[in-house]
Amino acid sequence: MDSDNPYSFYAESFRKLFEEGINLPLGGMAKPPVPDLLEDAPVALLFSPHPDDECIIGGLPLRLLREAGVRVVNVAVTLGSNKSRQQPRLAELKAACVWIGFELQETMPNGLERIRSATCESDPDYWTRAVRVITSILNEYDPAFMFFPHDQDWNGTHIGVHQLVMDALKSLPLDFSTLLVETEFWGQMQSPNLMVESSVQDLADLLAALSHHVDEVRRNPYHLRMPAWMQDNVRLGAELVGGEGGEAPDFNFATLYRIRQWRKNTVEEKWDNGRQLSAKASPANLFAEILQSP
């Protein structure tokens, strides 16, 4: 290490921290308390392309649960394409959701298959059946919030889930309305309009929940890299959400989202400008209009 470079120790500390993180337990830690929710609590549905997405994009859902009394239900759209891993991944997903306090809604015993844009053209009958599954879930829960990937999230299944959810929305009656919350992981959104800070404790809990996806993070320890990704989101969000040349907020970790409204079978813009939700501010205030509707 170059002792003359003051950044050598700084860079080395990141490498060392990751190396030490490999020895952290995968699941099995004491479960945090889950808030008691009202019987008629508003619902947030998380349409997850794969098991683990519920934790990766979970910054805002976790805060809605803990700070605004929102019932968070993770919809396991697929269980991955490796058939031998589908049931083990479902078991890991159940453990992660129970630990963090999210409910779990399955689509099919082994999840939906081939949820990619090409399937809509190559097998329209199967695609129609898949849309009906999502439509049924929307009718059952009547969600106040819907989380799902944006349409350029690179991964084929992530993009497919976006199209699947949008097709299901188009099949609903004109009086159905909900808040659309688009997420990102594999591909950055060009126009996010909300940056949500996570406290150190919330981040630690998301990482602990993610660690329950044991075989996935053993294959690729992306749970240990998630804090760095969320730090970089602060860099991005300062300008993409706050405006070009905007001053970076005093956030440590954040997740980016795009908020829009579904009303009368069409997507409507929700806000004129981007918003930044600090860990000290309440999401109940930001979404008061949604949470207070009858």
Side-chain angles (χ1 to χ4, degrees):
M1 186 165 66
D2 184 356
S3 59
D4 293 331
N5 183 343
Y7 285 94
S8 294
F9 175 79
Y10 182 74
E12 171 65 12
S13 68
F14 278 86
R15 184 204 65 78
K16 185 177 180 181
L17 187 64
F18 181 87
E19 189 175 86
E20 292 173 350
I22 295 294
N23 297 318
L24 291 172
L26 301 179
M29 59 284 293
K31 183 177 178 295
V34 177
D36 293 327
L37 301 179
L38 297 175
E39 187 174 340
D40 60 347
V43 173
L45 291 181
L46 278 59
F47 289 92
S48 295
H50 304 97
D52 69 18
D53 285 311
E54 78 289 343
C55 299
I56 293 169
I57 62 87
L60 178 55
L62 184 61
R63 292 194 59 187
L64 287 171
L65 169 68
R66 291 179 169 179
E67 300 173 42
V70 173
R71 180 182 169 199
V72 177
V73 181
N74 179 56
V75 180
V77 180
T78 89
L79 297 176
S81 57
N82 184 341
K83 292 187 180 298
S84 67
R85 281 281 297 140
Q86 286 172 344
Q87 287 305 304
R89 291 195 76 176
L90 177 59
E92 292 173 349
L93 176 59
K94 288 179 178 177
C97 286
V98 166
W99 196 89
I100 200 69
F102 296 170
E103 298 176 43
L104 177 60
Q105 172 65 57
E106 297 180 52
T107 50
M108 301 288 286
N110 288 312
L112 294 172
E113 305 277 359
R114 297 178 289 125
I115 302 303
R116 306 173 78 87
S117 297
T119 304
C120 181
E121 301 294 331
S122 64
D123 194 346
D125 290 340
Y126 180 78
W127 188 263
T128 298
R129 292 196 297 273
V131 168
R132 286 175 183 157
V133 170
I134 302 303
T135 302
S136 175
I137 292 170
L138 290 173
N139 282 324
E140 177 182 353
Y141 287 98
D142 189 21
F145 302 84
M146 289 176 55
F147 289 77
F148 60 106
H150 72 104
D151 62 354
Q152 298 294 317
D153 203 19
W154 184 78
N155 179 279
T157 302
H158 281 234
I159 295 171
V161 167
H162 176 93
Q163 183 174 343
L164 182 70
V165 169
M166 293 303 297
D167 285 354
L169 283 169
K170 293 171 186 174
S171 72
L172 294 174
L174 279 172
D175 62 354
F176 179 85
S177 66
T178 189
L179 200 69
L180 307 179
V181 188
E182 291 173 275
T183 64
E184 66 173 23
F185 183 60
W186 293 107
Q188 293 173 356
M189 281 184 281
Q190 296 301 304
S191 55
N193 62 359
L194 176 63
M195 175 162 61
V196 177
E197 184 182 18
S198 289
S199 67
V200 170
Q201 188 60 61
D202 278 358
L203 172 59
D205 288 345
L206 288 169
L207 297 180
L210 185 56
S211 79
H212 287 76
H213 295 278
V214 176
D215 284 340
E216 293 303 302
V217 298
R218 278 178 178 158
R219 175 183 62 83
N220 181 353
Y222 49 85
H223 63 309
L224 300 180
R225 294 188 168 96
M226 185 168 152
W229 172 67
M230 292 180 72
Q231 286 184 318
D232 194 48
N233 286 337
V234 178
R235 173 190 67 86
L236 282 168
E239 309 225 1
L240 292 180
V241 176
E244 189 171 349
E247 185 174 347
D250 188 22
F251 291 1
N252 289 307
F253 308 102
T255 311
L256 303 182
Y257 303 93
R258 181 164 59 200
I259 307 293
R260 296 190 289 180
Q261 185 82 39
W262 180 263
R263 185 184 287 117
K264 295 182 180 179
N265 271 34
T266 191
V267 176
E268 299 178 357
E269 297 302 323
K270 180 68 176 172
W271 298 326
D272 293 333
N273 300 304
R275 309 291 175 89
Q276 299 178 6
L277 180 65
S278 76
K280 297 177 182 178
S282 172
N285 293 332
L286 182 62
F287 298 110
E289 177 187 351
I290 303 295
L291 296 174
Q292 292 172 6
S293 7

